[in-house]
Amino acid sequence: QIRYNSPLNVPLKPVNGIVVIQDLERNYGIQDTVILDEIKGWIMALISKIGIIGANHVGAHVANALLYQGLVTELFISDTNEVLCKAQVNDLLDAMPFYPHPARVYEVDDRYEELAGCDIIVNAAGHIEAAAGSRDGELFVTTDEAKKFAKRIADAGFDGVWVNIANPCDVVTTELQYLTGADPNKVIGSGTTLDSARLRHALSGAT
């Protein structure tokens, strides 16, 4: 079993980004509160908190993928539809025994300020129905959605990374950077990743 050592050379077992100290007092005789506090601080630095705005199809898939790969320790789900948000959180908690490591999942609804403590916020807010007639159909819908939460989260002190997957991706990503005033290096769009994957699939079928 892979084990990591802390700065104090205490063997630690990695669990979902958090490391759990195995009975420090019993196994290693560590009782000094200063040392224990230092280890606690080192552990807390490894906790990964991720927020997802938009709990419909795409947001739900992102949440499941993060948990399935053990990439998150605390997951915050936000959506203006409280019934949907509650249902998605409940589904994720029901499935927790099947994920590699346990995680805490919180229902945030539209209390966007609660996302300020996250390391990463994924924006999946959109309305797929608006794109039914045109690929540009979501343009004003998704940018208007961003205006509802971006500044509120920034004003609450968020200093993490924005990851935008809402369409039109480049437009919404730019809008998020403009609304929040965030460092451009901390505002990332998925760009044409999906389109590129679709092109590769099409090419493989034609060759």
Side-chain angles (χ1 to χ4, degrees), residues 132-148:
S134 167
R135 291 294 292 171
D136 297 327
E138 286 188 285
L139 174 59
F140 297 107
V141 177
T142 49
T143 51
D144 285 346
E145 285 292 325
K147 293 173 183 176
K148 295 178 182 178

Side-chain angles (χ1 to χ4, degrees), residues 72-139:
V72 61
T73 56
E74 295 186 20
L75 188 59
F76 298 77
I77 309 296
S78 170
D79 199 286
T80 54
N81 185 335
E82 295 185 11
V83 174
L84 173 65
C85 196
K86 183 183 291 294
Q88 298 289 25
V89 168
N90 189 66
D91 284 349
L92 294 170
L93 291 174
D94 283 346
M96 198 60 66
F98 304 105
Y99 297 128
H101 304 297
R104 294 181 177 180
V105 184
Y106 302 97
E107 177 191 349
V108 177
D109 298 327
D110 61 355
R111 302 185 303 277
Y112 299 118
E113 288 78 7
E114 294 181 20
L115 299 173
C118 291
D119 303 302
I120 299 170
I121 294 177
V122 179
N123 175 37
H127 297 273
I128 191 64
E129 297 85 1
S134 167
R135 291 294 292 171
D136 297 327
E138 286 188 285
L139 174 59

Side-chain angles (χ1 to χ4, degrees), residues 171-187:
V171 175
V172 180
T173 302
T174 302
E175 183 74 358
L176 283 173
Q177 195 279 322
Y178 171 77
L179 292 170
T180 62
D183 181 346
N185 293 319
K186 289 187 174 183
V187 185

Side-chain angles (χ1 to χ4, degrees), residues 6-133:
S6 76
L8 301 175
N9 295 317
V10 175
L12 301 173
K13 178 182 178 182
V15 177
N16 191 30
I18 301 178
V19 286
V20 178
I21 302 172
Q22 301 296 312
D23 295 322
L24 287 176
E25 294 185 4
R26 184 181 66 186
N27 294 336
Y28 304 102
I30 298 177
Q31 297 181 350
D32 190 311
T33 55
V34 175
I35 293 178
L36 292 174
D37 285 345
E38 184 174 346
I39 295 175
K40 180 180 178 182
W42 181 72
I43 291 173
M44 292 301 292
L46 299 179
I47 293 177
S48 57
K49 298 181 179 181
I50 300 179
I52 299 174
I53 301 175
N56 218 312
H57 302 292
V58 176
H61 281 298
V62 171
N64 182 66
L66 289 170
L67 291 167
Y68 184 78
Q69 297 178 69
L71 298 176
V72 61
T73 56
E74 295 186 20
L75 188 59
F76 298 77
I77 309 296
S78 170
D79 199 286
T80 54
N81 185 335
E82 295 185 11
V83 174
L84 173 65
C85 196
K86 183 183 291 294
Q88 298 289 25
V89 168
N90 189 66
D91 284 349
L92 294 170
L93 291 174
D94 283 346
M96 198 60 66
F98 304 105
Y99 297 128
H101 304 297
R104 294 181 177 180
V105 184
Y106 302 97
E107 177 191 349
V108 177
D109 298 327
D110 61 355
R111 302 185 303 277
Y112 299 118
E113 288 78 7
E114 294 181 20
L115 299 173
C118 291
D119 303 302
I120 299 170
I121 294 177
V122 179
N123 175 37
H127 297 273
I128 191 64
E129 297 85 1

